[in-house]
C-alpha cells in the first residue's frame, strides 16, 4: 500500500544522522521532526533566522516575536541561536546545512526540481527554496510518486519552471525511495506491498532497477 | 540637544521627506518584526508609486498590505506574497509590478547595498526564471548568477531596544531582515519598543550600530500572530 504522509516522514527521518544540521520545508518535511531516531541529536534550522528550532509553544509560551519559516509560533531549544536573514542564508548558501528536506511538484532524472510555480495559476513566490536547493550538501525531496490523475512526477525533464538544477540526490515518495545519479532514477526501496512494476509504470523518467529491490523497513 | 540624538517624537517627523516614486526597504518576515506605525504613517501620507522591498507584503488589512488599499505601491520586490488577496487581485490586473526574488538573494541584496558592494554572484536561481536576462559566470565548475544590490531612499525597521545614538537590538526572530534593511536606506528609521539610556546596551551585543540609523521613534505594537500554533503543555 502507498505510504501515508506520516510514513513518508518516518522514512525520511531514517536519513538523519547524529550531529546533522537540517532544514525542513513546509508540509510532509515538517513532520520529519516528529520521527528523529532515538539516540541521535539534530539541530533544526529555520531560514527566518533560527538554529535550534523546538516544538510549538504552550499557550503560556506563545510569543509573536518567535516564529518559524512557516510563520507559525514556535520555541527555541536550549543551545539555539538566532540571527539575521543574511546570516541564515550565508549558512545555507555556504553549504553548512547538512540536509534539506522539501516538497516538489516535479523532479527529473538529472536532479532538476520544480517546486514553486505553476504557470497560469497564481504565483506566490519561491521563498527560500531556491537558496536551499542551491546550497544544501544533501537534498531529499518528498512527494507523491504520481499526481491524482496518475501522471508521474518523476520525469525525463521537468515541465514546470525550475527551482534548481542538478541538485536533488534522493527522493522519498509514497511508493519508493530513489537515488538520482548519472541521469537516471535508481530504485533503492519499495513501499511495503508495492511492486516494482507499479513503480516502473508510475515513473516517466529513466528508471534503473538492479537486483531485488527491498521493501522499506519501519521500526 | 547637540550631538547625536536621533530620537523623534512624531510619526510625521519619522517619515518626513518620503515622496512619490521613492524606494522603501522594509524589515520583517511575515508579520513578525514589522514597523507597524511607520507603515501606518506611509498610508496616512498617501505617498504613491512606491517601490517596496520586503520579504512579504503583509496580509489583507495589516502590515504592508494596507498600502495596497489605496494603490500606493507600484512595484513590490519580495520572495513570497501568498497571504494577500488584494495583492493577488492587483497583480493579476496588472496594477502592481512584482519582482519575485529568492529569500537569501533578497537578504544579500540588502546587505550588499548597505556594504557598498554593487552586485554579487550566487548559485541561487541559476537555470531558473530568476536568472533570465542576467549575467552568469562559471567559477570552478559551478554556475552563478550576477545579482545587483538594493538600496532604498528609506529603510523602515522594527527593533526591540534603541538608544539615542541609533544603536539597535532586536528581539528573538523579529530580527530577520531588519539588520540588513537598516544598512541599505539613505534614511533609516527604526521604530522600537523601548528607548534606553546610552550605555545600557552592552556594546558587543548591539545588532545594528547606530551609524546606519538616522531616526528612532518609540512605537506601540499590536504584534499580530499569523499562524498561532500551540502544543498541549
Amino acid at each position: 500500500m502507498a505510504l501515508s504522509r506520516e510514513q513518508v516522514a518516518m522514512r525520511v527521518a531514517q536519513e538523519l544522522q547524529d550531529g546533522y544540521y537540517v532544514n525542513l520545508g513546509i508540509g510532509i518535511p515538517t513532520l520529519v521532526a516528529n520521527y528523529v531516531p532515538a539516540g541521535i541529536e539534530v539541530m533544526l534550522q529555520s531560514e527566518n533566522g533560527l538554529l535550534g528550532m523546538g516544538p510549538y509553544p504552550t499557550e503560556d509560551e506563545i510569543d509573536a516575536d518567535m516564529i518559524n519559516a512557516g510563520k507559525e509560533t514556535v520555541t527555541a531549544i536550549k543551545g539555539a541561536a538566532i540571527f539575521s536573514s543574511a546570516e541564515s542564508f550565508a549558512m545555507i548558501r555556504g553549504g553548512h546545512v547538512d540536509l534539506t528536506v522539501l516538497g516538489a511538484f516535479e523532479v527529473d532524472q538529472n536532479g532538476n526540481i520544480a517546486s514553486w510555480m505553476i504557470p497560469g495559476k497564481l504565483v506566490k513566490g519561491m521563498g527560500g527554496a531556491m537558496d536551499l536547493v542551491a546550497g544544501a550538501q544533501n537534498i531529499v525531496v518528498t512527494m507523491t510518486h504520481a499526481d491524482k490523475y496518475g501522471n508521474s512526477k518523476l520525469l525525463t525533464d521537468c515541465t514546470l519552471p525550475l527551482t534548481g538544477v542538478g541538485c536533488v540526490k534522493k527522493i522519498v515518495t509514497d511508493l519508493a525511495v530513489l537515488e538520482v545519479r548519472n541521469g537516471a532514477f535508481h530504485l533503492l526501496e519499495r513501499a511495503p506491498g508495492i511492486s516494482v512494476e507499479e513503480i516502473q509504470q508510475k515513473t516517466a523518467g529513466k528508471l534503473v532497477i538492479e537486483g531485488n529491490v527491498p521493501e522499506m523497513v519501519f521500526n | 540637544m547637540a550631538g547625536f540624538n536621533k530620537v523623534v517624537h512624531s510619526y510625521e517627523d519619522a517619515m518626513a521627506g518620503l515622496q512619490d516614486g521613492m524606494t522603501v526597504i522594509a524589515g520583517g518576515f511575515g508579520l513578525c518584526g514589522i514597523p507597524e506605525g511607520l507603515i501606518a504613517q506611509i498610508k496616512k501620507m498617501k505617498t504613491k508609486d512606491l517601490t517596496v522591498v520586503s520579504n512579504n507584503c503583509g496580509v489583507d488589512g495589516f502590515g504592508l498590505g494596507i498600502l495596497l488599499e489605496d494603490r500606493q505601491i507600484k512595484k513590490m520586490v519580495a520572495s513570497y506574497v501568498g497571504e494577500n488577496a488584494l495583492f493577488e487581485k492587483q497583480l493579476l490586473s496588472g496594477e502592481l509590478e512584482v519582482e519575485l526574488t529568492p529569500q537569501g538573494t533578497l537578504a544579500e541584496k540588502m546587505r550588499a547595498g548597505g556594504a557598498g558592494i554593487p552586485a554579487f554572484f550566487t548559485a541561487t536561481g541559476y537555470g531558473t526564471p530568476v536568472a533570465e536576462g542576467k549575467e552568469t559566470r562559471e567559477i570552478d565548475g559551478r554556475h552563478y548568477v550576477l545579482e545587483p544590490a538594493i538600496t532604498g531612499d528609506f529603510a523602515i525597521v522594527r527593533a526591540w531596544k534603541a538608544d539615542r545614538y541609533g544603536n539597535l537590538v532586536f528581539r528573538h526572530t523579529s530580527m530577520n531582515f531588519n539588520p540588513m534593511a537598516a544598512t541599505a536606506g539613505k534614511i533609516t528609521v527604526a521604530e522600537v519598543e523601548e528607548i534606553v539610556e546610552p550605555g545600557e546596551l552592552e556594546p558587543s551585543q548591539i545588532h545594528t550600530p547606530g551609524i546606519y540609523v538616522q531616526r528612532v521613534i518609540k512605537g506601540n505594537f499590536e504584534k499580530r500572530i499569523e499562524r498561532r500554533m500551540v502544543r498541549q503543555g
Side-chain angles (χ1 to χ4, degrees), chain B residues 173-196:
Chain B
T173 61
S174 71
M175 182 187 298
N176 55 61
F177 280 83
N178 282 298
M180 290 78 64
T183 66
K186 287 193 191 83
I187 296 175
T188 291
V189 189
E191 188 182 15
V192 306
E193 294 179 56
E194 192 182 345
I195 296 173
V196 301

Side-chain angles (χ1 to χ4, degrees), chain A residues 123, chain B residues 74-78 81 87 91 96-101:
Chain A
V123 180
Chain B
K74 182 185 69 179
K75 180 180 176 182
M76 187 76 209
V77 180
V81 291
F87 191 99
L91 176 60
L96 181 65
E97 187 187 340
V98 180
E99 187 177 321
L100 288 172
T101 305

Side-chain angles (χ1 to χ4, degrees), chain B residues 157 159 161-162 166-170 182 190 192 201 206-210 213 216:
Chain B
V157 303
K161 294 180 182 179
N167 294 311
L168 305 179
V169 172
F170 304 96
V192 306
L201 302 175
I206 285 167
H207 293 127
T208 292
V213 178
V216 173

Side-chain angles (χ1 to χ4, degrees), chain B residues 13-18 22-28 33-35 38-39 42 50-54 64 110-111 113-114 150-159 168 170 177-191 208 211-217:
Chain B
D13 289 343
M15 293 308 296
L18 182 70
M22 281 187 165
T23 295
V24 178
I25 301 178
I34 60 173
L38 299 176
I39 295 168
I42 296 174
L50 295 172
T51 294
V52 175
V53 182
S54 174
L64 290 168
M110 293 182 196
R111 199 195 70 80
I150 293 179
T151 55
D153 299 294
F154 271 77
I156 56 173
V157 303
R158 207 280 285 297
L168 305 179
F170 304 96
F177 280 83
N178 282 298
M180 290 78 64
T183 66
K186 287 193 191 83
I187 296 175
T188 291
V189 189
E191 188 182 15
T208 292
I211 193 168
Y212 296 113
V213 178
Q214 279 67 48
R215 301 171 191 169
V216 173
I217 185 166

Side-chain angles (χ1 to χ4, degrees), chain B:
Chain B
M1 195 195 314
F4 294 95
N5 186 7
K6 298 179 181 180
V7 177
V8 298
H9 297 281
S10 72
Y11 283 106
E12 289 76 16
D13 289 343
M15 293 308 296
L18 182 70
Q19 290 170 13
D20 292 355
M22 281 187 165
T23 295
V24 178
I25 301 178
F29 183 94
L31 301 181
C32 183
I34 60 173
E36 299 175 15
L38 299 176
I39 295 168
Q41 176 62 22
I42 296 174
K43 180 170 175 68
K44 202 173 154 192
M45 291 167 76
K46 302 187 188 304
T47 321
K48 296 230 187 282
D49 296 326
L50 295 172
T51 294
V52 175
V53 182
S54 174
N55 190 56
N56 316 91
C57 193
V59 298
D60 288 304
F62 196 71
L64 290 168
I66 65 173
L67 302 184
L68 296 169
E69 293 164 0
D70 302 317
R71 296 182 177 77
Q72 291 176 266
I73 303 176
K74 182 185 69 179
K75 180 180 176 182
M76 187 76 209
V77 180
S79 87
Y80 191 81
V81 291
E83 281 94 5
N84 201 313
L86 190 54
F87 191 99
E88 182 177 340
K89 186 165 164 278
Q90 292 186 12
L91 176 60
L92 293 173
S93 71
E95 291 170 271
L96 181 65
E97 187 187 340
V98 180
E99 187 177 321
L100 288 172
T101 305
Q103 198 174 127
T105 297
L106 185 62
E108 195 65 12
K109 277 169 172 269
M110 293 182 196
R111 199 195 70 80
I117 293 171
F120 56 92
F121 281 108
T122 176
T124 301
Y126 178 80
T128 78
V130 165
E132 279 169 17
K134 290 176 184 160
E135 185 182 337
T136 60
R137 188 175 299 183
E138 189 178 336
I139 302 172
D140 291 337
R142 240 192 132 187
H143 296 279
Y144 298 87
V145 184
L146 186 66
E147 291 282 2
I150 293 179
T151 55
D153 299 294
F154 271 77
I156 56 173
V157 303
R158 207 280 285 297
W160 181 23
K161 294 180 182 179
D163 59 25
R164 66 178 169 85
Y165 290 93
N167 294 311
L168 305 179
V169 172
F170 304 96
R171 188 171 177 275
H172 299 333
T173 61
S174 71
M175 182 187 298
N176 55 61
F177 280 83
N178 282 298
M180 290 78 64
T183 66
K186 287 193 191 83
I187 296 175
T188 291
V189 189
E191 188 182 15
V192 306
E193 294 179 56
E194 192 182 345
I195 296 173
V196 301
E197 288 301 313
E200 281 189 41
L201 302 175
E202 168 63 33
S204 66
Q205 301 292 311
I206 285 167
H207 293 127
T208 292
I211 193 168
Y212 296 113
V213 178
Q214 279 67 48
R215 301 171 191 169
V216 173
I217 185 166
K218 185 180 173 323
N220 289 302
F221 301 95
E222 176 185 332
K223 292 197 182 180
R224 195 179 291 188
I225 291 173
E226 215 163 327
R227 300 211 171 105
R228 187 184 195 89
M229 303 296 283
V230 183
R231 78 170 193 278
Q232 301 308 315

Side-chain angles (χ1 to χ4, degrees), chain A residues 107-112 139 154-155 166-171 177-189 205-211:
Chain A
V107 170
D108 72 28
Q109 63 195 32
N110 293 309
N112 299 328
I139 295 165
L154 282 71
L155 307 175
C167 52
V168 177
K169 306 262 171 52
K170 202 171 245 186
I171 306 162
V177 179
L178 308 103
E179 195 174 50
V180 186
R181 66 183 144 88
N182 303 328
F185 298 108
H186 293 252
L187 183 57
L188 302 182
E189 297 173 25
K206 186 177 175 190
L207 182 67
V208 175
I209 301 157
E210 287 163 331

Side-chain angles (χ1 to χ4, degrees), chain A:
Chain A
M1 224 178 87
L3 301 184
S4 67
R5 288 161 53 88
E6 285 73 19
Q7 285 172 313
V8 171
M10 286 168 73
R11 178 58 192 82
V12 172
Q14 294 175 17
E15 303 293 315
L16 300 173
Q17 293 182 24
D18 195 28
Y20 261 19
Y21 292 100
V22 181
N23 184 291
L24 301 176
I26 291 165
I28 292 174
T30 303
L31 300 176
V32 173
N34 299 332
Y35 302 107
V36 177
I40 75 166
E41 187 178 19
V42 300
M43 283 283 247
L44 299 179
Q45 204 258 15
S46 189
E47 64 266 25
N48 58 316
L50 172 60
L51 189 62
M53 180 168 63
Y56 293 135
T58 60
E59 197 69 49
D60 293 343
E61 290 171 333
I62 284 183
D63 186 329
D65 291 338
M66 197 66 215
I67 66 166
N68 63 20
K71 301 173 184 105
E72 300 171 330
T73 48
V74 77
T75 57
I77 63 164
K78 284 178 183 168
I82 290 173
F83 35 80
S84 73
S85 300
E87 186 76 48
S88 181
F89 282 94
M91 59 185 76
I92 289 168
R93 204 187 300 104
H96 304 277
V97 175
D98 297 296
L99 177 67
T100 284
V101 184
L102 78 168
F105 301 137
E106 297 173 346
V107 170
D108 72 28
Q109 63 195 32
N110 293 309
N112 299 328
I113 174 173
S115 68
W116 70 284
M117 179 186 185
I118 299 177
K121 295 196 179 178
L122 181 71
V123 180
K124 293 179 187 296
M126 69 292 283
M130 286 191 181
D131 306 278
L132 282 159
V133 300
Q137 293 294 305
N138 200 358
I139 295 165
V140 174
V141 169
T142 65
M143 59 183 194
T144 56
H145 211 96
D147 67 18
K148 59 184 173 182
Y149 307 107
N151 299 311
S152 179
K153 295 181 178 181
L154 282 71
L155 307 175
T156 308
D157 289 295
C158 287
T159 61
L160 296 169
L162 296 180
T163 308
V165 295
C167 52
V168 177
K169 306 262 171 52
K170 202 171 245 186
I171 306 162
V172 178
T173 75
D174 53 341
L175 304 182
V177 179
L178 308 103
E179 195 174 50
V180 186
R181 66 183 144 88
N182 303 328
F185 298 108
H186 293 252
L187 183 57
L188 302 182
E189 297 173 25
R190 301 173 286 126
I194 298 293
S195 67
V196 168
E197 289 69 32
E198 178 174 353
I199 294 164
Q200 253 175 325
Q201 188 245 320
K202 288 183 174 167
T203 305
K206 186 177 175 190
L207 182 67
V208 175
I209 301 157
E210 287 163 331
N212 278 333
V213 179
E215 287 192 351
M216 298 177 202
V217 177
F218 295 98
N219 297 317

